[in-house]
Amino acid sequence: MELFGKTAIVTGGGSGIGLAIAKAFVSEGAVVYVCDRDKNLVKELRDTDPQIMGMVADVGVESDVDELFDSVLEACNGQLDILVNNAGIAGPNGPMETITLSDWEATLRVNVISTFLCTRRALEVMKKQNSGSIVNLSSTAGTHGYPLRTPYASAKWAIVGMTKSLAMEVGGYGIRVNAICPGPVSGPRMDRVMAAEAKTRNLSEKQIYDQFVSQISLKTFVEAEDIAQMALFICSERGEKISGQTLAVDGHTESLSLLT
Ligand code: NAD
């Protein structure tokens, strides 16, 4: 029960990595609120995992974020110990000159602006408490160049800059801020990413998969549960001296250069 007595918010937790993190936190005794912009996923979550509190919110929209935080803080008497800024979209594939402004802006809004909006609300509480742990989902695309995915790479590098800067700003309040950088995670999202890459580059999805794996030392994708275990570690007492870090869980990926 490593998180007994803790309250957590996980954004974009209706599926994938966020859901795995929410389940891991609940299994360690935390009270967990999950938001997702997909109403159907939230309904499904309420049916299948009633111990996780599911709420509908689009974290790229300021009024939704305010409503989410107002409701959660009212329900848990103003206590918030953990915020996981997980919601993110892959954004478009293609040479930069083909990317539309609206796709570029949407990628930054869902990955970066949402993290700012949620973190700003969490800090009001965590600073008063003199404690808290904020986990931001970056990516291997936030530590390496990623050709034909410039909006996503830009967003995920921004998350690293925000993490390191904020960790310095709020460390004196006992608040820790870390980024997790997953490598390719098995599941529907990577299936969609590989299908889009295959189309852009006129290759088969198997060829794209093989190229990804060839650049991973352990020769395997990672699982959502691997990311959840890292989140659990850094939010528990075991991680109490860890802040300002970009923690890769990627089977050791040295490059995302898929142009070869
Ligand atoms: P996913 O697409 O499986 O799940 C993301 C969830 O977020 C979905 O349920 C979606 O409905 C929700 N969501 C999207 N936009 C939202 C918004 N504006 N407000 C609220 N909810 C929103 O993705 P995932 O693989 O679980 O990825 C989670 C995070 O990890 C993302 O930030 C992603 O960029 C990052 N990441 C994923 C991988 C991977 O291979 N899957 C690798 C590196 C980093």
Side-chain angles (χ1 to χ4, degrees):
M1 285 291 165
E2 292 196 278
L3 299 182
F4 184 74
K6 305 285 185 193
T7 301
I9 294 179
V10 181
T11 69
S15 65
I17 294 170
L19 182 56
I21 292 173
K23 286 182 176 174
F25 284 6
V26 161
S27 74
E28 289 299 328
V31 174
V32 181
Y33 294 84
V34 146
C35 80
D36 205 287
R37 71 177 170 187
D38 185 327
K39 292 186 183 72
N40 295 328
L41 286 177
V42 172
K43 186 182 173 312
E44 204 178 305
L45 181 68
R46 286 180 183 149
D47 294 341
T48 56
D49 293 279
Q51 72 281 31
I52 299 173
M53 263 72 77
M55 310 176 90
V56 178
D58 181 336
V59 286
V61 176
E62 187 175 14
S63 54
D64 275 25
V65 170
D66 283 336
E67 270 177 45
L68 169 72
F69 275 77
D70 289 347
S71 315
V72 172
L73 291 172
E74 191 182 339
C76 57
N77 297 320
Q79 179 191 347
L80 181 64
D81 304 289
I82 298 169
L83 168 66
V84 182
N85 287 305
N86 166 79
I89 54 169
N93 285 67
M96 188 182 268
E97 66 277 15
T98 68
I99 308 279
T100 65
L101 177 61
S102 65
D103 279 349
W104 185 282
E105 283 179 341
T107 312
L108 288 187
R109 178 161 291 279
V110 179
N111 288 287
V112 184
I113 293 178
S114 66
T115 300
F116 158 67
L117 291 173
C118 292
T119 301
R120 194 170 58 163
R121 288 298 312 262
L123 287 174
E124 290 166 13
V125 179
M126 291 178 175
K127 276 191 166 181
K128 282 189 204 139
Q129 288 174 175
N130 270 306
S131 67
S133 176
I134 297 171
V135 178
N136 298 326
L137 268 291
S138 177
S139 166
T140 42
T143 54
H144 297 85
Y146 195 177
L148 306 179
R149 291 286 299 283
T150 51
Y152 186 68
S154 301
K156 292 306 188 184
W157 278 80
I159 295 286
V160 171
M162 200 188 319
T163 300
K164 287 187 176 288
S165 306
L166 186 64
M168 294 168 78
E169 242 179 79
V170 300
Y173 294 89
I175 302 169
R176 301 185 295 106
V177 191
N178 289 288
I180 298 180
C181 298
V185 175
S186 308
R189 180 191 173 109
M190 269 314 291
D191 293 346
R192 290 194 300 272
V193 166
M194 289 190 290
E197 300 240 359
K199 200 169 161 205
T200 306
R201 297 171 52 218
N202 207 17
L203 294 172
S204 70
E205 288 175 37
K206 169 82 171 69
Q207 284 171 309
I208 297 290
Y209 174 83
D210 289 344
Q211 284 191 7
F212 268 113
V213 168
S214 72
Q215 299 183 94
I216 302 172
S217 300
L218 292 178
K219 304 298 170 209
T220 179
F221 279 17
V222 295
E223 304 299 321
E225 289 69 28
D226 298 323
I227 312 303
Q229 287 307 310
M230 176 60 90
L232 180 58
F233 182 84
I234 52 176
C235 291
S236 72
E237 274 184 20
R238 289 183 291 157
E240 69 183 357
K241 299 284 160 39
I242 301 173
S243 192
Q245 301 304 307
T246 51
L247 302 159
V249 183
D250 65 355
H252 183 220
T253 303
E254 276 293 344
S255 169
L256 288 171
S257 162
L258 299 176
L259 293 176
T260 49

